[in-house]
Amino acid sequence: MSQRTERRGIHVDQSDLLCKKGCGYYGNAAWQGLCSKCWREEYQRVRQKQIQDDWALAEKLQREEEAAYASSHGVQTQSHSQSAAPHSGQATLGTFSKFEEKKTNEKTRKVTTVKKFFSPSSRTPPKKENQEGKTTSPSVSRHASFETDQVSRDFVDFLKNLQKPGREIHKQCRAFIINMSSKKDLGADELSECVQDFYQSMSDRLMSHFKGSSESVEQVMDQVEKYIMTRLYKSVFCPETTDDERKDLVTQNRIRALHWVTIQMLCVSMDEEIPEVCENVVKAITDIIEMDSKRVPRDKLGCITRCSKNIFSAIRITKKEPASADDFLPALIYIVLKANPPRLQSNIQYITRFCNPSRLMTGEDGYYFTNLCCAAAFIEKLDAQSLNLSPEEFERYMSGHASPRFSSSESNWLHPGSKPGVTATNPVLAQLSDNLELLSSLSSRQESLMEAAKNLQADLLSWPESVQQEVHDILEKYPLEILSCKVSAIDANNMDNDNLPPPLTPQVFTG
Amino acid sequence: MAAGGTGGNSGKTYSFKVVLLGEGCVGKTSLVLRYCENKFNDKHITTLQASFLTKKLNITGKRVNLAIWDTAGQERFHALGPIYYRDSNGAILVYDVTDEDSFQKVKNWVKELRKMLGNEICLCIVGNKIDLDKDRHVSVEEAESYAESVGAKHYHTSAKLNKGIEELFLDLCKRMMEMAQAEERLKGNGASQSASSRRGVQIVDDEPQATPAGGCCSSG
Ligand SMILES: Nc1nc2c(ncn2[C@@H]2O[C@H](COP(=O)(O)OP(=O)(O)O)[C@@H](O)[C@H]2O)c(=O)[nH]1
Ligand SMILES: [Mg+2]
Ligand SMILES: [Zn+2]
C-alpha cells in the first residue's frame, strides 16, 4: 500500500502509530497517541474524576456543617426532624432533580453524588427552614430552601477555586451562621454589630491573604455576604424586636395620602409625554418594587441602582444633558411616590444593617442607596413648603377636599379656556380623564341595559297572562263540544256512502 | 471615620468619599464635570449622569479611588444634608464669587459639618466663577481668613476656564491621605478602633472622638 511505503520512508514503526490502548485503530499525537474513541473515553474519565473529587469535597464540607449545626441544635432538631424531615427532604430532592434535568450531558455520575449530597438524611438546612417558616405555605418554604441550597452550592463552587483558603472561609462562615442561630433574641443593632464584625474580620484576613488586592477581597466578600445573608435573611429581616414593620405601614399610608402630588410640584425634569421617558419611568418603578423580593443586601442595592439608571436615562432624554443631583433626587422621590415600594423602611434598615460596608461608603450603589434614604426622609417630612404650596392648599389636598387637578391655581398645566380637568396636558391626567369618560359611558350603557332588562322582565311576567287570555278568548269563540263528537259514527259524514254497494248480507243455502 | 484606606502596607489603595455642598447654581456640577470629563457646558457630554463620578489617582506611589458625590442644592433638600455627608472623608463647599448669599450658605454648611462630624472631615471652601472677577461680591481676604478660622482650606476656581480645579482635588486627596495615615498610626498604637470607622451608614456616634493633633486640616 502506498500509505505503508510512505511511513516506511520516514522510518516510523507502525506500532507507534497504533492506539496506545491497543484497540487496533490508529492513534493520533494530538490525542496523546490514542484513537478518537479511546481518547474520548479517557478524557471523560479524567473529567468525571475531577467532577467527582469536587463534589466529594463539597459533600464533606456540607457534612461538617451539618454535624456542627446538629451539635449546637441537638435536641430541638432531632425531635423536629421526625415529623418534618421526610417531607422537606422529598421536596428538596424533587425540586432538585427537576433542576438537574435541565442540565445537559455528562452528568450521570454527578447526579447520584448530588442526590446523596441533598438526601434527607444528610440535610439540615431544610429542617431549619421549616422550623422558621411555620407560617409560610409549603410552596414558599420549598422555594426558599431551594434558593438556599442553590446559594450554598454556588458558594462551595466558588470557594473550590480558592482551594485551602476556600475551605477556611467556608468553615468560618458556617461557624458564624451557627453562632448567629443562637442569638435570635438579640436586638437588631446587636445583630448588625455581629454581622459587621464578621465582615470586618473576614475582610482583614482576606486582605492579608491576597496581599492587599482589594478587588480579590471584594469578590470573595460579595460571595460571603450572599451566603450568610441568604441564610440569615428570615430571622433578621424586619425582626420583631424592632418597629420596622410599623414604620413600613406608616410610610405606606403616607405615600397613599400623597397620591395627589404631581410631577410639577416636585419640579422633576422628566417629560412623560416622550414615550421613551415614559418607558424608563415604568421600568424605574418596577425596579424599585422588585427590591423587596431580593434577599441579599447587594441584590437589593442592585435594584436601586437599576432604578436610578432608568431615571438618569429619562432625565437625559428630557434635558439632553447628564442628570445632576438637583435633577436626580426629585425624580427619585417622584418614582418612590408612584411605586409605593413594599416594606420600604424595612428594606432600607436591612441594607443599612447587613450590607458589606465598603459598598455603602464609597461605591456607586452606595450613592443611589443614600439618595433613596433621602427620598424616604423627604417623603416622611414633606409639607406645604416642600411643594411650594400654601398650608391651606396642602391641607385641602391631604384631606381629599380638593384635588390639584381641578384647582384653578394649578391651571398652568391645564389648557386655559377648556373645561378644567378634561384636557389635561399631563399624559397621566389625560389618561385619567379618558378613563373617567370611558367609565361614565360604560355606566350609561349599563343603565340602559338595566332598563332593557327590566322591560324584558315585565314582558316575561305579562306574557303568560296574555297567552292565557288568548287561549281563553279562543275557547270562548270555539267552544269545545266533546259530546257532539261520537266515536260510534266513524263514517257518519261519509258523503260517498250512497255510492257504495250495499253491505254484504249473509245468504242461507239449503242443502 | 476618615480611614478609607484599605490594604496591606505595600499595594495600598485609598478609597475616599467627597461630598459637594453649596447653594444651587454656584457651579458644583460644572466643577466635577470639568474635573472628571474635562468638559464645560457641553451638550455632547457622554456620561449618563453627573451626580456620582469617580476618579482614580496615583499620589506618591499610592493609589487613590476618589468618589465624588454631588448633592441636591435646592433649599427644600437642605435638611437631608446629614444623610449625604455621613462617612465622608472630605467636603467641598462651593460658593459663587459673584454671589454674597452663596458664601453665607457655605458658612452655614461649615457650622453644621463641624457640629456633626467634628474634625474628622477635610473641608475645602471653594470660590467658583473667578472668570467673572469684575462682578466679584465676596472679597478674597474675607473668604480666606474665614476659611483659616474654621480649619478649612480655601481655593479659587473657574469651571469655565478650568482654573484651580486639579489643584483643589489633588490637595484634598493629599490631606485625606494624611488624615487616614494619622488614624492608622493611632490604631497601630493600640488605641481602640472606633466602631464607626468600619461602619457604613451607622450614623453619628456621640462620644467625642480623639482626633490626631496636627491633623491635615490644621497643617498648612
Ligand atoms: N462664568 C462661569 N460660569 C459658571 C462657572 N461654573 C458654572 N457656571 C455656570 O453656572 C451655572 C450653574 O452651574 P451648575 O454646575 O449647574 O451649578 P450647581 O447647581 O451648583 O451644580 C451654569 O449655567 C454654569 O454654566 C464658572 O466657573 N464660570
Ligand atoms: Mg448641580
Ligand atoms: Zn483505541
Side-chain angles (χ1 to χ4, degrees), chain A residues 189 192-193 196-197 200 207 211-215 264-267 309 312-313 316 319-330 333 351-353 357-358 360-371 373-375 377-378 385-388, chain B residues 1 3 6-8 10-13 15-17 24-25 28-29 33 42-52 54 63 65 67-74 76-77 80-81 83-87 89 187 193 195-202:
Chain A
D189 289 341
S192 165
E193 193 82 7
Q196 295 294 340
D197 281 340
Q200 177 74 25
M207 196 53 91
K211 314 225 163 25
S213 157
S214 40
E215 277 103 72
Q264 290 79 15
M265 291 177 190
L266 290 166
C267 308
K309 300 231 153 129
F312 288 140
S313 306
R316 232 217 114 101
K319 288 191 77 178
K320 295 176 183 70
E321 62 180 43
S324 72
D326 292 346
D327 307 314
F328 175 53
L329 182 59
I333 291 168
I351 293 170
T352 305
R353 289 174 190 140
S358 67
L360 285 188
M361 283 212 276
T362 51
E364 186 175 9
D365 291 343
Y367 180 76
Y368 303 137
F369 175 68
T370 301
N371 274 277
C373 296
C374 285
F378 182 82
Q385 213 187 346
S386 346
L387 299 175
N388 292 325
Chain B
M1 206 171 298
T6 48
S10 52
K12 174 187 302 241
T13 304
S15 291
F16 294 127
K17 167 181 164 183
C25 285
K28 298 183 294 296
T29 307
L33 274 175
D42 194 329
K43 289 286 169 200
H44 305 290
I45 291 175
T46 49
T47 48
L48 186 60
Q49 47 92 12
S51 43
F52 174 87
T54 56
R63 274 174 291 154
N65 289 339
I68 306 167
W69 292 36
D70 192 8
T71 62
Q74 296 96 318
R76 56 174 152 174
F77 297 132
L80 304 172
I83 309 179
Y84 277 117
Y85 59 65
R86 64 193 173 191
D87 300 310
N89 306 99
K187 217 164 84 182
Q193 187 197 356
S196 56
S197 72
R198 55 127 224 268
R199 187 51 56 82
V201 221
Q202 295 296 301

Side-chain angles (χ1 to χ4, degrees), chain A residues 157-175:
Chain A
D157 272 352
F158 173 80
L159 292 178
K160 266 181 336 215
N161 302 325
L162 301 175
Q163 283 150 9
K164 213 166 158 235
R167 250 196 83 104
E168 185 56 30
I169 293 166
H170 193 260
K171 216 182 200 167
Q172 294 286 335
C173 291
R174 254 165 31 214

Side-chain angles (χ1 to χ4, degrees), chain A residues 385-416:
Chain A
Q385 213 187 346
S386 346
L387 299 175
N388 292 325
L389 297 172
S390 72
E392 296 77 35
E393 259 178 314
F394 185 82
E395 234 2 88
R396 267 185 291 135
Y397 297 154
M398 266 325 243
S399 62
H401 286 129
S403 153
R405 225 181 115 232
F406 297 106
S407 135
S408 52
S409 69
E410 292 291 327
S411 57
N412 57 326
W413 42 269
L414 293 175
H415 279 311

Side-chain angles (χ1 to χ4, degrees), chain A residues 89-143:
Chain A
Q90 242 151 24
T92 317
L93 203 63
T95 337
F96 191 80
S97 40
K98 212 185 278 163
F99 166 78
E100 199 58 29
E101 276 164 25
K102 285 193 211 140
K103 298 200 158 187
T104 45
N105 68 40
E106 67 150 39
K107 293 277 162 60
T108 39
R109 290 168 84 172
K110 191 172 164 184
V111 172
T112 48
T113 331
V114 161
K115 277 188 179 159
K116 213 166 81 201
F117 182 29
F118 284 100
S119 68
S121 61
S122 70
R123 272 309 277 166
T124 313
K127 292 173 209 158
K128 195 178 136 208
E129 291 283 348
N130 266 22
Q131 281 174 346
E132 289 166 358
K134 276 169 234 134
T135 52
T136 53
S137 75
S139 69
V140 168
S141 67
R142 191 190 311 169
H143 173 77

Side-chain angles (χ1 to χ4, degrees), chain A residues 222-321:
Chain A
D222 284 346
Q223 296 297 323
V224 167
E225 179 192 304
K226 185 173 169 193
Y227 176 69
I228 68 169
M229 289 322 296
T230 306
R231 294 186 157 229
L232 296 178
Y233 178 78
K234 276 198 173 172
S235 49
V236 303
F237 184 88
C238 187
E240 278 161 24
T241 53
T242 65
D243 63 348
D244 291 356
E245 192 177 354
R246 190 189 58 78
K247 284 191 195 147
D248 284 337
L249 288 175
V250 169
T251 302
Q252 197 174 20
N253 290 332
R254 173 93 179 141
I255 292 177
R256 276 192 197 157
L258 290 169
H259 65 90
W260 49 269
V261 175
T262 64
I263 200 164
Q264 290 79 15
M265 291 177 190
L266 290 166
C267 308
V268 177
S269 21
M270 295 193 297
D271 181 357
E272 285 182 304
E273 268 184 297
I274 304 170
E276 262 179 297
V277 172
C278 193
E279 204 175 291
N280 278 314
V281 166
V282 171
K283 278 190 201 153
I285 291 172
T286 316
D287 289 331
I288 200 66
I289 288 173
E290 201 191 352
M291 170 177 67
D292 187 54
S293 67
K294 305 286 182 195
R295 293 174 152 214
V296 184
R298 198 162 76 92
D299 293 346
K300 288 183 186 287
L301 281 183
C303 294
I304 303 170
T305 299
R306 279 196 300 283
C307 167
S308 304
K309 300 231 153 129
N310 280 313
I311 292 173
F312 288 140
S313 306
I315 294 171
R316 232 217 114 101
I317 295 165
T318 307
K319 288 191 77 178
K320 295 176 183 70
E321 62 180 43

